[in-house]
């Protein structure tokens, strides 16, 4: 199914500079992006979108992969809001006075001023992250080595000490008057790991640090699309939102509310986590994406998605209330199941139009 008549393909960037330094739609292949590696981390950051692409300071989105290595150390950010999402392996994460072991699908939100420390437990750990403001990603660029990373996946054999290399560089930057908003607490002692609890299955009513256990959080449904928000504007003070969009090619295509492109007032970074989906972006020919591929769509450009396999999971990162809020307000809470239902349901078209109007979302 396609709603675009243009023959112009969305640019795919798989060689430097990626992503491009312009506010336009693009696709990034699996395990690609602007690659930076912090010495001694045995890991790589793959920047998928930053202020260079959004044209503002709203969101920076990246993935990372690494092996068991030293933790960077306890630190906080005065202004930056940090997010951790695990897709493979294990991550030991201290957040304030709590600590959890995060595995695939687990999530953590760390607002400004909260002391935290991530420790990859490996041997293979993959994560996604979002940070606001997006210019904070310049810290990665400052402390990293050149972007021509020789490793195919990440520098697993880098045996240097991460803290020994990282902390002096941050101190030197501060002395030179460069504020990267990283404040170390070298004497801080982390607490013991605690088990997951029922508190880790709900979203807080405001901006606060929290963990969210995989697939245990709130769920919303509209038509045949399930949305599992990790964080909304309520928890980020309106700065950004992240959700998992899930659907199926086996459901009635006419009951897919995302098929017809909609023009949102915020940026969206869409990452296909499972399955295959066709993305229809205004002004471009339809593009079919599979696992690990990313598309960036800037604010004001309409986009829609068609699910092309039995199960599709797409993670949506937006610079404010986006697709997740449309599904929440126009749909209903999905409490009777955890997976995509066997049958899509109809929805109130008038309510859908009213919600879109409230959120400044327009049909293409």
């Amino acid at each position: 199914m396609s709603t675009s008549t243009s023959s112009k393909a969305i640019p795919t960037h798989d060689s430097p500079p990626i992503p491009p330094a312009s506010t336009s739609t693009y696709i990034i292949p699996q395990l690609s992006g602007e690659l930076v590696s912090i010495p001694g981390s045995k890991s790589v950051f793959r920047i998928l979108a930053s202020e260079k692409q959004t044209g503002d300071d709203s969101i920076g989105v990246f993935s990372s992969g690494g092996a068991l290595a030293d933790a960077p150390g306890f630190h906080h950010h005065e202004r930056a809001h940090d997010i951790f999402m695990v897709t493979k392996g294990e991550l030991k994460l201290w957040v304030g006075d709590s600590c959890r072991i995060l595995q695939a699908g687990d999530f953590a939100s760390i607002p400004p001023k909260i002391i935290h420390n991530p420790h990859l437990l490996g041997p293979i750990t993959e994560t996604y992250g979002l940070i606001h403001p997006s210019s904070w990603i310049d810290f990665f660029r400052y402390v990293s080595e050149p972007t021509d990373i020789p490793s195919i996946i990440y520098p697993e054999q880098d045996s240097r000490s991460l803290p020994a290399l990282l902390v002096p560089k941050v101190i030197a930057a501060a002395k030179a008057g460069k504020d990267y908003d990283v404040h170390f607490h070298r004497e801080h002692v982390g607490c013991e790991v605690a088990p997951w609890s029922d508190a880790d299955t709900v979203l807080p009513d405001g901006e606060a640090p929290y963990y969210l256990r995989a697939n245990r959080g709130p769920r919303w449904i509209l038509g045949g699309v399930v949305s599992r928000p990790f964080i909304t504007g309520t928890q980020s003070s309106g700065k950004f939102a992240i959700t998992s969009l899930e659907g199926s090619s086996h459901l009635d295509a006419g009951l897919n509310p995302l098929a017809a492109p909609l023009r949102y007032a915020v940026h969206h970074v869409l990452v296909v986590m499972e399955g295959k989906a066709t993305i229809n972006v205004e002004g471009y020919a339809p593009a079919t994406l599979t696992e690990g591929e990313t598309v960036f769509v800037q604010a004001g450009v309409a986009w829609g998605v068609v699910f092309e396999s039995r199960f599709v999971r797409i993670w949506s990162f937006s610079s404010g209330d986006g697709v997740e809020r449309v599904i929440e307000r126009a749909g209903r809470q999905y409490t009777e199941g955890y997976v995509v239902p066997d049958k899509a349901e109809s929805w109130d078209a008038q309510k859908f139009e009213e919600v879109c109007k409230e959120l400044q979302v327009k049909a293409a």
Side-chain angles (χ1 to χ4, degrees):
M1 176 180 177
S2 170
T3 57
S4 173
T5 58
S6 175
S7 60
K8 182 173 69 173
I10 299 175
T12 297
H13 296 273
D14 56 4
S15 60
I18 45 178
S22 64
T23 54
S24 60
T25 298
Y26 57 83
I27 291 171
I28 294 181
Q30 182 189 41
L31 300 179
S32 294
E34 179 186 346
L35 304 179
V36 298
S37 180
I38 300 174
S41 68
K42 295 186 179 181
S43 65
V44 64
F45 289 95
R46 313 175 191 103
I47 301 172
L48 304 174
S50 68
E51 77 284 359
K52 293 181 179 180
Q53 292 76 44
T54 62
D56 53 36
D57 213 9
S58 56
I59 56 171
V61 180
F62 55 90
S63 70
S64 67
L68 176 63
D70 296 326
F74 289 94
H75 61 282
H76 82 275
H77 313 298
E78 283 293 315
R79 300 177 300 280
H81 194 143
D82 215 351
I83 292 298
F84 290 87
M85 308 172 72
V86 177
T87 60
K88 294 180 182 177
E90 293 184 324
L91 173 70
K92 186 177 185 179
L93 182 63
W94 287 271
V95 179
D97 58 358
S98 63
C99 183
R100 299 283 190 280
I101 303 294
L102 277 65
Q103 298 178 319
D106 294 333
F107 171 92
S109 173
I110 308 170
K113 304 183 186 300
I114 302 298
I115 296 176
H116 58 284
N117 187 20
H119 187 191
L120 301 183
L121 298 183
I124 300 173
T125 300
E126 289 281 343
T127 68
Y128 277 82
L130 177 152
I131 197 155
H132 169 92
S134 61
S135 57
W136 189 92
I137 282 183
D138 286 340
F139 173 73
F140 287 160
R141 298 178 175 124
Y142 168 72
V143 299
S144 70
E145 292 181 323
T147 57
D148 186 17
I149 307 297
S151 303
I152 294 175
I153 308 298
Y154 51 77
E156 183 180 11
Q157 305 305 324
D158 187 352
S159 60
R160 293 170 293 178
S161 169
L162 173 59
L165 293 167
L166 180 60
V167 175
K169 205 163 187 178
V170 173
I171 293 174
K175 289 181 178 179
K178 297 178 180 178
D179 181 13
Y180 289 108
D181 193 18
V182 180
H183 310 274
F184 281 97
H185 299 260
R186 303 180 71 174
E187 306 302 321
H188 185 87
V189 177
C191 62
E192 295 295 322
V193 175
W196 292 88
S197 70
D198 289 343
D200 303 320
T201 64
V202 297
L203 299 179
D205 292 330
E207 186 173 286
Y210 67 95
Y211 301 94
L212 190 65
R213 197 171 186 185
N215 299 318
R216 305 296 179 88
R219 302 171 300 283
W220 301 85
I221 189 168
L222 180 65
V225 180
V226 174
S227 172
R228 305 175 189 269
F230 295 99
I231 187 168
T232 71
T234 302
Q235 295 80 41
S236 71
S237 298
K239 296 174 290 194
F240 57 87
I242 307 172
T243 196
S244 177
L245 301 172
E246 301 170 13
S248 173
S249 61
H250 287 230
L251 295 176
D252 185 346
L255 294 177
N256 173 9
L258 304 184
L262 295 173
R263 185 175 292 109
Y264 299 85
V266 296
H267 309 300
H268 281 82
V269 177
L270 306 171
V271 184
V272 178
M273 304 303 297
E274 294 184 62
K276 182 171 67 173
T278 294
I279 307 297
N280 291 293
V281 179
E282 182 179 21
Y284 294 96
T288 299
L289 276 62
T290 57
E291 181 179 343
E293 295 185 305
T294 299
V295 61
F296 167 73
V297 186
Q298 67 271 43
V301 174
W303 62 270
V305 60
V306 176
F307 304 107
E308 303 283 12
S309 57
R310 188 181 188 93
F311 177 69
V312 183
R313 185 196 307 270
I314 299 172
W315 281 2
S316 166
F317 303 79
S318 59
S319 59
D321 287 336
V323 62
E324 82 298 328
R325 200 64 100 178
V326 171
I327 294 175
E328 174 189 339
R329 292 187 181 177
R332 65 175 181 84
Q333 196 152 17
Y334 183 47
T335 58
E336 66 272 27
Y338 286 90
V339 299
V340 172
D342 293 331
K343 184 178 180 180
E345 57 188 47
S346 59
W347 68 87
D348 186 331
Q350 181 177 347
K351 182 179 180 182
F352 181 80
E353 292 179 4
E354 292 172 352
V355 167
C356 287
K357 185 176 181 179
E358 291 171 6
L359 296 173
Q360 301 179 51
V361 176
K362 302 176 181 178

